[in-house]
Amino acid sequence: MNDATTACSSIPHKALGWSIALSIFLIVAGLIAILLPPIMGLGVTLYIGWLLIFSAIAHFAFAWKSHTAGAVLWEALVGLVYLFAGGYLILHPLAGLLSLTLLLAIYLLVEGIFEFVLAFRLTRNGRFWMILEGVVTIVLAVMIWRTWPFSTIWAIGTLVGISMIFSGFSRLMFALACRRSQAAAV
């Protein structure tokens, strides 16, 4: 019995139907995100803003439960930073999207550089693919940075949409393989 069969045998047959439905939903949502990237970008910005607000609340709660002055002070300060950043993203989503897009370009540039460093630390077998990934990542970072702030319109929404499509497709293929595996076992 291989690992895929073992993983599939632990999933109830009824759950596979839901997994397939979720997969199709992710693919459709990803396509919509690619077709409407500015709306998706604003949605991601608001989502991150709310996550930061909830993180601030958690830091304030932890500060309340801390019994040393230093822990209370630092947790409260971190909570205030989270609260300010989340509030800013929620109250100014377009400016927040501009900032997140520039941050994305910086992140991709750093990731691409790290891919190159890692590629030259690997043996020859995997080096080509790591270099290719580094080149693609750096090219994407430069594309976003050189066209910023206009890249704000497409960058985050398109990349999230592509990610959703790939997640949905891989989940769909896994669920269908599990369904075939379970049907063959019966």
Side-chain angles (χ1 to χ4, degrees):
M1 200 181 250
N2 64 23
D3 290 338
T5 307
T6 305
C8 290
S9 64
S10 65
I11 300 172
H13 185 70
K14 194 185 289 187
L16 288 175
W18 282 102
S19 183
I20 291 170
L22 175 63
S23 303
I24 292 169
F25 174 77
L26 279 172
I27 293 169
V28 170
L31 289 172
I32 292 170
I34 290 174
L35 294 174
L36 303 169
I39 294 171
M40 181 57 135
L42 288 173
V44 168
T45 302
L46 292 172
Y47 176 71
I48 291 172
W50 281 109
L51 286 177
L52 290 171
I53 296 285
F54 290 130
S55 295
I57 292 168
H59 279 283
F60 291 141
F62 187 72
W64 179 262
K65 295 292 183 182
S66 296
H67 297 292
T68 62
V72 170
L73 176 66
W74 285 112
E75 285 298 326
L77 287 175
V78 170
L80 285 173
V81 169
Y82 275 78
L83 185 65
F84 173 76
Y88 183 80
L89 289 177
I90 291 170
L91 295 175
H92 306 287
L94 188 57
L97 183 58
L98 283 165
S99 302
L100 288 175
T101 304
L102 190 58
L103 184 63
L104 175 66
I106 293 167
Y107 164 77
L108 290 172
L109 179 66
V110 171
E111 180 187 357
I113 292 168
F114 285 162
E115 294 292 340
F116 274 124
V117 171
L118 182 60
F120 288 105
R121 295 184 56 108
L122 291 177
T123 61
R124 290 193 179 273
N125 295 341
R127 186 176 291 172
F128 171 76
W129 294 108
M130 295 299 283
I131 291 173
L132 181 63
E133 183 179 353
V135 167
V136 169
T137 304
I138 289 174
V139 166
L140 185 57
V142 170
M143 282 175 48
I144 293 170
W145 174 71
R146 297 253 320 156
T147 60
W148 188 82
F150 303 108
S151 60
T152 299
I153 295 169
W154 64 266
I156 291 181
T158 302
L159 294 175
V160 168
I162 290 169
S163 174
M164 290 172 78
I165 288 172
F166 277 100
S167 293
F169 186 74
S170 63
R171 178 181 291 272
L172 180 63
M173 292 300 108
F174 177 72
L176 291 175
C178 286
R179 182 175 268 179
R180 282 190 300 274
S181 172
Q182 287 181 358
V186 173

